Amino acid sequence: QVRLIESGGGLVQAGGSLRLSCAASGRTFSGYAMGWFHQVPGKEREPVATISRNGTTTYADSVKGRFTISRDNGKNTVYLQMNSLKVEDTDVYYCAAAPSTLGPWSYWGQGAQVTVSS
């Protein structure tokens, strides 16, 4: 069992930055791929960024060059640095864990609200 707790969400003006954190407890953090997802209305949650056990990252096209995912295995934490935020980035962001970036994404956090104002 892996427990994930997100933090760092909030309200920011367009062009600003936020950093989301996801603290993991339970099984060995370094043994999991980690990801940040958002909820698309009417669809399943889609990945915003993922990071493999060895640090390989992937990004949705909409956030490439603006968001950076990273992990600190010593702190059992994964981060999402969000820069140059846009109004359309407003969403709830969920942290997730999986055996690999191919999934299955079995463990989820409660979500962190990010609101970007114009």
Side-chain angles (χ1 to χ4, degrees), residues 71-87:
R71 63 190 300 161
D72 185 336
N73 290 340
K75 295 183 178 179
N76 288 357
T77 301
V78 62
Y79 304 98
L80 185 67
Q81 179 67 43
M82 312 167 76
N83 297 331
S84 302
L85 281 161
K86 304 176 181 180
V87 171

Side-chain angles (χ1 to χ4, degrees), residues 1-2 24-34 53 71 73 76 97-99 107:
Q1 188 75 11
V2 176
S25 62
R27 295 187 176 180
T28 306
F29 176 76
S30 60
Y32 288 87
M34 301 297 296
R53 290 175 293 176
R71 63 190 300 161
N73 290 340
N76 288 357
Y107 303 103

Side-chain angles (χ1 to χ4, degrees), residues 2-8 18-25 29-30 32-37 48-53 55-59 68-82 93-98 101 105 107-109 112:
V2 176
R3 297 172 64 183
L4 304 173
I5 301 176
E6 298 104 333
S7 61
L18 281 176
R19 188 176 79 160
L20 302 182
S21 299
C22 174
S25 62
F29 176 76
S30 60
Y32 288 87
M34 301 297 296
W36 289 95
F37 290 71
V48 173
T50 67
I51 186 166
S52 70
R53 290 175 293 176
T56 301
T57 58
T58 66
Y59 296 94
T68 302
I69 188 171
S70 62
R71 63 190 300 161
D72 185 336
N73 290 340
K75 295 183 178 179
N76 288 357
T77 301
V78 62
Y79 304 98
L80 185 67
Q81 179 67 43
M82 312 167 76
Y93 289 81
Y94 297 90
C95 174
T101 53
W105 298 93
Y107 303 103
W108 293 89

